[in-house]
Amino acid sequence: MNDNREEGVVVTRNVWKIFGSRADEAMEAVRRDNLSKAEVLEQFGAVVGVKDVSISVGEGEIFCIMGLSGSGKSTLVRHINRLIEPTGGDILINGANVGQLNAEELRAMRADKIGMVFQNMALLPHRTVRDNVALSLELRNVDAYTRAQVADRVIELVSLQGYGDRLPSELSGGMQQRVGLARAMAADPDILLMDEPFSALDPLIRRVLQDEFLDLSKSMNKTTLFITHDLDEAIRMGNRIAIMKDGEIVQVGTPEDIVTKPADDYVADFVAGISKLKLLYAHTVMEPLEAYEQRKGPIPQAEAPVAEPDDDLDKLIALSVNQDHPVLIKSDGNVVGVVSKDAILHGVQGEA
Amino acid sequence: MTDTTPDQMGGAPAAATDETKPFVEFADKSGGYFAETFLSIQKAKLPATHVNWMAAIAGFPWAALRANKMLFWIGFLIDLVAAVYLMQVWKFSRAAEQAVIDNKDFLVERFENWTTSSLWAAVIIFILGRVIFGWLADRLYFRQYNTWRVDHSKPSGWDMKRLVWATLIVAMIAPLMLYRASQFPPEERTCIKQARSIAAGEEVAFKDQFDCMIIGEFPTIVWLERRDTVTYPRDDNGDRFVRREAPREGLPPVNLNSYTAQLIDDGIGYLTAFYGFFFDGITTFLRSMLSAITAVFVGTPWIIAMGAIMAISYTMAGARITIFVAASLCYLALFGFWQTAMDTMSLVVAASIICIVFGLPLGIWVGKSKRGQAIITPILDIMQTIPSFVYLLPAVAFFSIGKPPGILATVIFAMPPMVRLTALGIRHVPENTKEAALAFGANPRQLLMKVELPQALPSIMAGVNQVVMMALSMVVVAALIGAGGMGFIVTEALANTRTGAGILAGIGIALLAMMIDRVVQKANTVKH
Ligand SMILES: Nc1ncnc2c1ncn2[C@@H]1O[C@H](COP(=O)(O)OP(=O)(O)OP(=O)(O)O)[C@@H](O)[C@H]1O
Ligand SMILES: [Mg+2]
């Protein structure tokens, strides 16, 4: 029980959340009869928000959660700092069971370990941007001078310099979202819960903030749960991606797994139309040299372009343009495979 | 009783076109007439003078047959009122004859006058009422058609069976009403006497008993034995003790009202006798608080006080409102109300401070806790429905007269808006901002101080404004129990019919109120 460290920084074990006055009853019935979300709603008037979710997020990992609207992403993430009590299951942070903390311990854990960016921003309307950003420090009784210094630094990070003394109501939606982001970063927590933090931003600033955030979380080794609707964003940011549907997690995997081996039609629909150029690598699309030469005859190895097994499709395409020969894949100077133009085209279509 | 005459104007139901078919189906009897009328209503071509004379002549039974409830009650009421006046004609002419026999000339003339005027009233109400009834008939019937068209289960057509219902209703109401109108009701004293004689076993005529039960005051049903008289004299050591004395033999029992009133008096007497120190303590506290405030308001020379008030109003609410404040202050000063107005202000400030000090935490509790809401809200409802004068009674009972009870009555009267608006403000703080603060580790005190109270502030300030306004109005009333101030001038003017003085003081009070209101409100809007 105490030795869960190797399991991950944030672990959920069979977490269930059912909303409604008859939640416990519904919970039992679901466990017994394996009812669907619609059946629970009909029989108990209760909504299944999260259904038997077990995930484990390792230290420094960015774990993306995707899914349709209402699939339970926010609900799941809210369990982690216990804004919501689970109907069943446990949440462990660094091996400590969040559900067993008393009020003071919980408060301390929220203040020191976990930062959160809210989907609806939830800024305090009566406070200036600076005071909003410094909220977590103020709650920890940090002195005003340090607060202002930290806040101004973070405000600059989200490119809102000069807006420190404005009220949130004077800012645009995207700017408010950045204030929410800055507020979470100012707390400097080990774990970040980000509920669609970039959804209201224009593509340019979004790209900048994504890079900024990637750098930051790499250098500061932050563990992040990142909710997004945008598959491109998930692929860009996530070490792993979880796809949710009706409160359940239908698939967890690396971006490449999700794109190339969707677990079911739902996931396949999700990833249809995504560009595979940066997701597929030579080692996935290549075929053995012998197999190729049997079909097409020998390759003049001196003229053929050469790539590494870890190069992505994008690079392979660049090499094959204006080339009559297939690309040779070499690892440590040895030929390990061949990628023909046909293989590249299949790869672009997503058939590895 | 039937609609045959109009039938000839509209033609037979058979002639109905597609347009008028639903009308005919709805009206059933006299379909042609209604088809035509409803069509002209729909085309907005019905003449303003259109009256359904059949309905006017037939009266409420027509509405009953047509199942139009609204029209039925209107028609029934018209006829009933006319009939009541007719019964009065009978009653007064009998009384006039009696007066002739009794040789009371002045009574004869009075009763004869009443007879004539009742007769006229009966005739006019009947004729005019029936015309109005006829005028309303088709218009209301058209409304009924509209509801029927949406929902065909609603009554339509013409049905003799409905007359049975109508007759039942009339039979239940009319006879008693008419009987009551034809009789002089017995006096309450007569009835009390009668009740005693019945209790003593004497025979009483049925008519007299009936009159006392039904057409006079609601009969006294509950009779209770008198309570012991309780006094709280002092014994030899000067300590109070309770002395009970049984009521004298042979005194009649009392009714519920007197009994309960006695009970309350005894309770208050007991509390003041044995817990007097508690009430005295409160009185002393209020008095010293008030004298401190009065020292500021009245003790400051007028020239400094005026300057200070104007400076405050300028910083809080700006130049325009300060001009108004200056003019009001001039009025008060020129008409000699300065000291009295400052006296009133001290009372208002004292009462408002107490209201805020107690109302704010109470409001927070009500806003945050379900239980608090369940306990306090009904109490506030009661506090706000009780007329302000009533608060003076317990204040006087426990604290005697003067300024302290005046302040207390004012506090009770002015507290509810503070509690309510604070609770409202707290309850309307968006859930997500509270959640955000919690997510960053706020403890309950930080949540209240940094998130909830700041966001509830506009509502709380509106509460403060209300408190001050209500305190001002109550302080005027409290002059009745010796709280003094501007209200004293008004009550005195009322007692001595010195209208002019009263009006001047009234204007002064209004100006005071407007001054405070404008400044506080403006200050509130400037900030947010
Ligand atoms: N407080 C609540 N009471 C009742 N039902 C709730 C509550 N919060 C969420 N739900 C239900 O739980 C389900 C999941 O909601 P959730 O907010 O987690 O969705 P989401 O995946 O975050 O959607 P979105 O992308 O739109 O933010 C929904 O069906 C919602 O109706
Ligand atoms: Mg959500």
Side-chain angles (χ1 to χ4, degrees):
Chain A
M1 186 76 199
N2 285 327
D3 199 32
N4 293 304
R5 284 200 169 266
E6 72 279 12
E7 245 192 79
V9 177
V10 176
V11 176
T12 71
R13 281 210 200 118
N14 306 92
V15 169
W16 285 80
K17 178 66 193 182
I18 299 180
F19 293 105
S21 49
R22 298 168 65 195
D24 289 334
E25 244 178 290
M27 177 82 216
E28 245 169 60
V30 175
R31 282 224 165 112
R32 201 175 48 234
D33 303 334
N34 198 17
L35 302 176
S36 76
K37 188 170 171 161
E39 283 168 327
V40 175
L41 185 61
E42 189 188 292
Q43 290 179 22
F44 297 93
V47 179
V48 180
V50 168
K51 187 173 175 184
D52 200 13
V53 168
S54 301
I55 55 170
S56 166
V57 184
E59 191 174 352
E61 187 179 9
I62 299 183
F63 188 87
C64 282
I65 302 173
M66 295 198 59
L68 297 183
S69 194
S71 56
K73 307 181 294 292
S74 301
T75 308
L76 173 63
V77 163
R78 274 153 188 276
H79 279 94
I80 287 162
N81 56 358
R82 207 170 142 196
L83 287 177
I84 296 181
E85 301 278 349
T87 316
D90 293 311
I91 291 102
L92 309 176
I93 289 188
N94 290 330
N97 192 330
V98 176
Q100 285 165 0
L101 301 179
N102 64 27
E104 188 47 40
E105 290 165 343
L106 178 65
R107 209 188 57 68
M109 190 199 73
R110 284 168 171 174
D112 302 335
K113 287 221 181 101
I114 305 180
M116 184 156 185
V117 181
F118 288 84
Q119 186 172 10
N120 50 23
M121 294 136 202
L123 303 178
L124 300 179
H126 59 283
R127 289 171 159 244
T128 61
V129 166
R130 183 178 294 111
D131 288 347
N132 261 297
V133 170
L135 176 72
S136 61
L137 302 177
E138 191 178 330
L139 295 177
R140 276 185 236 157
N141 297 322
V142 174
D143 66 279
Y145 178 77
T146 320
R147 269 184 351 231
Q149 293 236 311
V150 173
D152 282 339
R153 192 167 46 74
V154 185
I155 286 172
E156 207 175 309
L157 221 55
V158 296
S159 14
L160 280 179
Q161 52 272 51
Y163 288 93
D165 295 313
R166 303 286 185 87
L167 289 177
S169 55
E170 296 171 292
L171 269 52
S172 77
M175 289 158 96
Q176 290 181 24
Q177 205 166 41
R178 279 183 273 159
V179 177
L181 187 66
R183 178 172 65 180
M185 301 213 292
D188 192 24
D190 304 337
I191 299 164
L192 268 169
L193 309 176
M194 306 179 81
D195 198 344
E196 304 188 22
F198 301 145
S199 62
L201 302 179
D202 59 88
L204 294 184
I205 192 94
R206 177 192 295 221
R207 185 50 85 90
V208 171
L209 284 183
Q210 283 171 349
D211 289 341
E212 197 86 62
F213 181 77
L214 280 174
D215 284 353
L216 208 79
S217 77
K218 202 169 283 166
S219 62
M220 315 275 279
N221 204 24
K222 303 228 182 282
T223 307
T224 309
L225 276 89
F226 192 103
I227 297 177
T228 174
H229 274 143
D230 179 356
L231 188 60
D232 281 320
E233 185 170 74
I235 288 166
R236 230 172 106 69
M237 310 279 295
N239 301 108
R240 278 189 300 158
I241 299 176
I243 310 267
M244 286 187 81
K245 178 190 177 192
D246 287 349
E248 258 177 312
I249 289 196
V250 281
Q251 189 175 5
V252 186
T254 61
E256 192 184 359
D257 282 347
I258 299 276
V259 171
T260 54
K261 298 176 213 119
D264 61 10
D265 291 349
Y266 176 78
V267 182
D269 274 353
F270 235 101
V271 301
I274 192 71
S275 158
K276 274 84 179 178
L277 294 182
K278 300 262 179 207
L279 283 173
L280 288 191
Y281 300 97
H283 60 75
T284 340
V285 291
M286 69 187 182
E287 61 187 315
L289 181 63
E290 300 77 47
Y292 181 88
E293 286 187 333
Q294 243 171 35
R295 275 191 290 126
K296 301 264 174 135
I299 307 168
Q301 298 215 353
E303 290 161 43
V306 176
E308 303 260 317
D310 283 345
D311 287 335
D312 58 23
L313 272 186
D314 205 24
K315 175 111 188 262
L316 295 178
I317 291 172
L319 290 174
S320 323
V321 173
N322 291 332
Q323 265 291 342
D324 295 333
H325 305 295
V327 184
L328 281 180
I329 310 298
K330 282 188 178 171
S331 175
D332 299 332
N334 305 321
V335 177
V336 291
V338 183
V339 177
S340 66
K341 280 192 179 165
D342 287 353
I344 292 180
L345 289 177
H346 277 302
V348 171
Q349 267 199 327
E351 300 154 16
Chain B
M1 279 283 199
T2 61
D3 294 320
T4 40
T5 0
D7 252 336
Q8 273 116 48
M9 313 187 322
T17 60
D18 272 359
E19 207 174 17
T20 57
K21 213 166 167 182
F23 298 151
V24 176
E25 190 191 335
F26 168 72
D28 188 9
K29 208 164 159 53
S30 310
Y33 165 74
F34 285 110
E36 192 169 302
T37 320
F38 286 0
L39 205 60
S40 49
I41 291 179
Q42 276 189 336
K43 290 179 179 162
K45 283 207 182 119
L46 195 74
T49 53
H50 172 89
V51 173
N52 183 341
W53 289 109
M54 268 322 291
I57 292 165
F60 65 87
W62 180 89
L65 285 167
R66 291 284 179 195
N68 192 315
K69 283 197 200 110
M70 173 101 160
L71 207 54
F72 172 79
W73 286 112
I74 294 172
F76 180 49
L77 211 66
I78 291 167
D79 288 9
L80 190 65
V81 172
V84 161
Y85 273 106
L86 268 186
M87 292 314 271
Q88 286 194 350
V89 171
W90 184 45
K91 171 167 81 175
F92 292 134
S93 53
R94 265 187 312 152
E97 281 164 26
Q98 183 65 40
V100 171
I101 296 167
D102 293 351
N103 241 338
K104 289 180 179 158
D105 284 352
F106 69 99
L107 276 183
V108 174
E109 194 183 326
R110 183 197 288 173
F111 283 133
E112 276 176 353
N113 278 343
W114 285 359
T115 310
T116 348
S117 54
S118 292
L119 188 59
W120 273 111
V123 171
I124 291 173
I125 288 174
F126 185 72
I127 294 177
L128 207 66
R130 282 301 181 90
V131 172
I132 292 174
F133 181 83
W135 187 84
L136 283 173
D138 287 350
R139 294 170 170 87
L140 289 186
Y141 199 42
F142 180 67
R143 285 189 162 202
Q144 187 185 341
Y145 163 76
N146 279 333
T147 51
W148 170 83
R149 196 175 51 176
V150 179
D151 177 359
H152 272 37
S153 70
K154 292 273 159 62
S156 67
W158 158 285
D159 191 347
M160 287 300 259
K161 269 180 282 178
R162 290 174 192 148
L163 273 186
V164 179
W165 280 107
T167 317
L168 267 176
I169 291 171
V170 173
M172 264 169 19
I173 298 175
L176 265 183
M177 290 290 292
L178 297 183
Y179 178 69
R180 166 75 172 77
S182 69
Q183 303 292 318
F184 288 100
E187 280 179 18
E188 205 185 342
R189 236 180 326 144
T190 327
C191 288
I192 292 175
K193 250 189 230 153
Q194 189 196 74
R196 298 225 177 99
S197 17
I198 292 174
E202 289 171 37
E203 282 289 322
V204 176
F206 173 75
K207 179 178 183 308
D208 291 343
Q209 278 194 42
F210 182 81
D211 284 359
C212 273
M213 289 302 286
I214 304 296
I215 68 176
E217 168 72 85
F218 188 90
T220 310
I221 297 171
V222 184
W223 289 104
L224 295 162
E225 284 306 318
R226 278 168 193 266
R227 288 173 53 80
D228 295 346
T229 323
V230 187
T231 47
Y232 308 98
R234 290 180 190 277
D235 63 13
D236 299 339
N237 301 329
D239 296 330
R240 288 187 187 271
F241 65 97
V242 182
R243 180 195 286 155
R244 293 176 176 282
E245 282 170 73
R248 264 191 301 128
E249 280 295 317
L251 277 181
V254 290
N255 64 13
L256 191 61
N257 184 322
S258 322
Y259 183 87
T260 316
Q262 180 69 45
L263 200 68
I264 295 172
D265 286 349
D266 288 351
I268 291 176
Y270 182 82
L271 286 178
T272 43
F274 291 98
Y275 298 94
F277 61 90
F278 174 69
F279 302 109
D280 290 346
I282 294 181
T283 310
T284 315
F285 169 76
L286 288 175
R287 190 162 284 137
S288 40
M289 175 177 174
L290 184 64
S291 58
I293 295 172
T294 315
V296 175
F297 276 91
V298 183
T300 314
W302 64 265
I303 192 160
I304 297 178
M306 270 194 192
I309 292 174
M310 267 153 44
I312 290 172
S313 127
Y314 184 76
T315 46
M316 278 174 77
R320 275 180 51 187
I321 283 169
T322 308
I323 294 173
F324 170 74
V325 168
S328 308
L329 290 178
C330 279
Y331 174 91
L332 291 173
L334 286 178
F335 283 86
F337 290 134
W338 182 258
Q339 291 269 327
T340 337
M342 288 303 109
D343 215 26
T344 299
M345 283 307 295
S346 324
L347 283 173
V348 169
V349 169
S352 303
I353 288 176
I354 297 175
C355 280
I356 293 165
V357 166
F358 285 94
L360 190 68
L362 212 56
I364 293 173
W365 186 49
V366 173
K368 297 193 101 176
S369 127
K370 280 241 157 56
R371 168 131 37 105
Q373 191 179 355
I375 295 173
I376 301 293
T377 316
I379 299 179
L380 293 181
D381 288 342
I382 295 171
M383 280 165 80
Q384 283 190 309
T385 38
I386 292 177
S388 54
F389 281 85
V390 178
Y391 290 128
L392 301 177
L393 286 168
V396 171
F398 289 113
F399 301 95
S400 144
I401 57 168
K403 287 181 195 269
I407 292 181
L408 271 183
T410 308
V411 165
I412 298 175
F413 180 71
M415 179 98 85
M418 189 68 209
V419 179
R420 270 191 211 283
L421 285 167
T422 304
L424 188 77
I426 294 279
R427 227 174 284 138
H428 280 200
V429 173
E431 204 57 44
N432 63 21
T433 59
K434 286 193 270 182
E435 204 173 43
L438 285 178
F440 285 104
N443 61 29
R445 195 179 53 83
Q446 287 172 323
L447 187 68
L448 181 68
M449 301 303 292
K450 294 182 195 291
V451 180
E452 290 176 311
L453 281 184
Q455 290 189 73
L457 196 63
S459 184
I460 293 175
M461 287 311 290
V464 171
N465 192 16
Q466 289 266 310
V467 164
V468 177
M469 289 297 103
M470 289 182 68
L472 188 60
S473 70
M474 187 61 192
V475 156
V476 173
V477 175
L480 287 174
I481 57 169
M486 300 288 285
F488 179 68
I489 304 178
V490 176
T491 45
E492 207 194 32
L494 207 61
N496 304 329
T497 52
R498 286 170 43 215
T499 316
I503 290 176
L504 289 181
I507 294 175
I509 294 169
L511 287 178
L512 264 184
M514 278 155 69
M515 248 160 42
I516 303 173
D517 185 51
R518 289 299 122 79
V519 172
V520 175
Q521 249 180 39
K522 185 79 184 184
N524 225 358
T525 51
V526 165
K527 244 182 277 161
H528 301 282

